[in-house]
Amino acid sequence: MAPSSGLENFGVPDDQKPRIIAVANQKGGVGKTTTAINLGAAIAAEGRNVLIVDLDPQGNASTGLGLEPDDRRMTTYDLLLDEAPLVDVIHATGVKGLWIAPATTDLSSADIELVANEKRSFLLHDALRDPAAEQFAFDYVLIDCPPSLSLLTVNAMVAAHSVLVPLQSEFFALEGLSQLMLTIRQVRQAANPGLRIEGVVLTMYDGRNRLAQQVERDARDTLGDLVFKTIVPRNVRISEAPSYAKPVLEYDPTSKGSAAYRELAQEIAFKRQVEPT
C-alpha cells in the first residue's frame, strides 16, 4: 500500500466547507497577521484551497502577501459596507492555493458606518456564504481580525466556526484574555451558538527566556487543553518574510518558523475544538 500523503488530515466534510477560523486577540503585536498568513500557507501546502480575509484596517496581511495598495480596488470594506460579491474582492497570491480578500485604511471607519445597519453583525457571515464563491472550492477561510473587540471582530466571530487566539510570550500576556473569552461566549449566546475556541497558540517564544517559560507554564496551567502543543518561536526568518511579501514557508522553508507553522497546521487538523468555559 502506498504511504499516505497526509492530505486526508486536512479534509473538511462537504457540509462544513469552508472551515472558517477567526484569528483574534484584542492586543496588538501578538502575531495575529503572521499566524494567519503562515498558517494559511501551511494548509495550502497540503493541497487545500485557503482564503485569508484581511479584516484589519492596517492591511498588513494584504501587504505581507504581495498585494500593493493600488491593486486593492475592491476590499473587505466593499464586502461589508457595499455588499460587494466575494468573488469581486478576492485576489490570488504568489502561493499556490492561497487567496486573499484585502483591506485598506478605509476599513477604519467601518465600525461607525455599520452601527445603523440592522444586519451589522452578520454582514461577513452572509458575504462568506455567497454561492458564487463556491467555484473556488475553499477548504479553509482564515479571518485576520483587528486588535480590538470591535464590530469587525464581532463580524468575524459571527461568521466563524471557531476562534484561534495567538498569545505572545510576554508579561501580562494572559491579561485581557478573559475579556476575549467573554466576547466569544456573548457571540455564542446572541448570534452564533456553534462558535468554538480552536485553541491558543503561543507566539514569539524564546525558550532561553525565563519569563517566556513562566508565561507558558501559566498559560497551560490556566487554559489546559486550549493551548496548542505547537509553540511558534521568535525567529528572524518569520520577521524578515513580510518584507519580501512572502510567507515564511516560501521565504525559508527550512527555518524553525516554517516548521512551527507546519506543525500548527497539522495540530489544527486533529485538535478537537473546545467550547468556552
Side-chain angles (χ1 to χ4, degrees):
M1 180 181 294
S4 169
S5 67
L7 292 181
E8 68 277 8
N9 298 339
F10 290 86
V12 182
D14 288 339
D15 62 350
Q16 297 178 21
K17 284 187 178 181
R19 183 173 171 187
I20 304 173
I21 302 174
V23 183
N25 189 327
Q26 71 268 33
K27 290 189 68 175
V30 299
K32 287 188 298 293
T33 298
T34 298
T35 295
I37 289 174
N38 291 298
L39 177 60
I43 296 173
E46 294 289 341
R48 297 305 178 209
N49 293 326
V50 182
L51 171 65
I52 294 177
V53 177
D54 193 347
L55 216 60
D56 187 342
Q58 296 177 87
N60 289 337
S62 308
T63 303
L65 286 170
L67 203 61
E68 297 295 333
D70 290 345
D71 295 328
R72 305 174 203 177
R73 296 180 181 87
M74 299 285 280
T75 68
T76 49
Y77 175 93
D78 302 290
L79 190 69
L80 296 178
L81 275 299
D82 295 331
E83 298 186 19
L86 182 62
V87 294
D88 291 346
V89 174
I90 61 179
H91 292 255
T93 71
V95 179
K96 183 180 178 182
L98 187 63
W99 282 261
I100 186 158
T104 63
T105 54
D106 289 347
L107 200 59
S108 59
S109 66
D111 264 26
I112 297 173
E113 297 181 56
L114 285 172
V115 167
N117 192 317
E118 291 183 359
K119 299 191 302 178
R120 56 185 174 270
S121 297
F122 290 84
L123 295 172
L124 186 61
H125 173 280
D126 296 345
L128 293 182
R129 288 159 176 81
D130 182 356
E134 292 177 3
Q135 62 184 290
F136 291 92
F138 290 126
D139 297 291
Y140 284 81
V141 174
L142 304 179
I143 307 172
D144 183 25
C145 295
S148 63
L149 296 178
S150 61
L151 262 176
L152 291 174
T153 301
V154 170
N155 258 270
M157 291 184 182
V158 172
H161 298 115
S162 60
V163 180
L164 173 63
V165 185
L167 190 70
Q168 188 177 358
S169 304
E170 63 171 14
F171 197 59
F172 294 138
L174 295 176
E175 278 202 0
L177 202 57
S178 59
Q179 182 60 47
L180 178 63
M181 298 301 184
L182 176 61
T183 300
I184 292 172
R185 288 198 295 272
Q186 290 172 337
V187 170
R188 290 186 71 224
Q189 292 167 3
N192 184 3
L195 184 65
R196 299 291 183 269
I197 299 176
E198 190 73 36
V200 175
V201 57
L202 293 168
T203 60
M204 306 179 196
Y205 184 86
D206 184 350
R208 301 166 299 179
N209 187 312
R210 288 185 180 178
L211 176 59
Q213 296 173 18
Q214 184 62 51
V215 169
E216 180 187 2
R217 285 195 295 270
D218 290 347
R220 296 193 187 281
D221 289 345
T222 303
L223 302 171
D225 289 342
L226 278 180
V227 183
F228 285 102
K229 294 178 181 177
T230 301
I231 294 175
V232 178
R234 187 174 293 279
N235 179 254
V236 67
R237 296 304 193 193
I238 293 177
S239 301
E240 290 173 349
S243 65
Y244 291 86
K246 292 181 178 181
V248 69
L249 285 88
E250 295 273 319
Y251 176 62
D252 186 350
T254 64
S255 68
K256 291 182 179 179
S258 295
Y261 279 109
R262 282 193 293 268
E263 290 170 8
L264 180 61
Q266 289 283 345
E267 197 171 350
I268 283 176
F270 286 104
K271 186 176 176 70
R272 175 179 61 87
Q273 298 169 17
V274 183
E275 294 187 18
T277 56

